[in-house]
Amino acid sequence: KPQLAFLDIRMPGMSGLDLLGQIRELRPDTPVVLMTAFGSIDSAVEAMHAGAFDYVTKPFQRDALLLTLERAFERRALE
């Protein structure tokens, strides 16, 4: 069982938002972080409304990504 999923918004064959929807149906407790090099406020809002734990833009800072991981695992532990 995955502990966390990192998805890119733009993937071959399926968008990260579409896959996010499938993960939410199958494993609603799995935190999903969406990332993209083509970030916009609209896509960030859409991702969060679809159930993403977080939304990060590339290139991302290592420390910021580690903080996102830490927050996701803390939230899971609390749930």
Side-chain angles (χ1 to χ4, degrees):
K1 180 177 170 181
Q3 299 297 307
L4 177 74
F6 275 97
L7 308 176
D8 201 313
I9 295 282
R10 293 187 183 181
M11 301 187 309
M14 175 184 287
S15 78
L17 285 169
D18 292 337
L19 185 54
L20 168 63
Q22 291 181 9
I23 292 171
R24 301 273 20 106
E25 287 179 23
L26 297 171
R27 302 264 188 216
D29 59 331
T30 300
V32 177
V33 177
L34 285 171
M35 61 184 139
T36 185
F38 307 98
S40 71
I41 292 173
D42 290 339
S43 65
V45 169
E46 184 178 4
M48 300 310 283
H49 279 239
F53 175 76
D54 205 349
Y55 178 95
V56 295
T57 55
K58 297 188 265 182
F60 39 80
Q61 298 294 320
R62 179 182 174 272
D63 290 341
L65 190 59
L66 291 174
L67 181 60
T68 297
L69 283 169
E70 184 178 311
R71 286 184 19 242
F73 289 128
E74 285 176 359
R75 179 174 161 191
R76 254 195 101 147
L78 290 173
E79 291 175 348

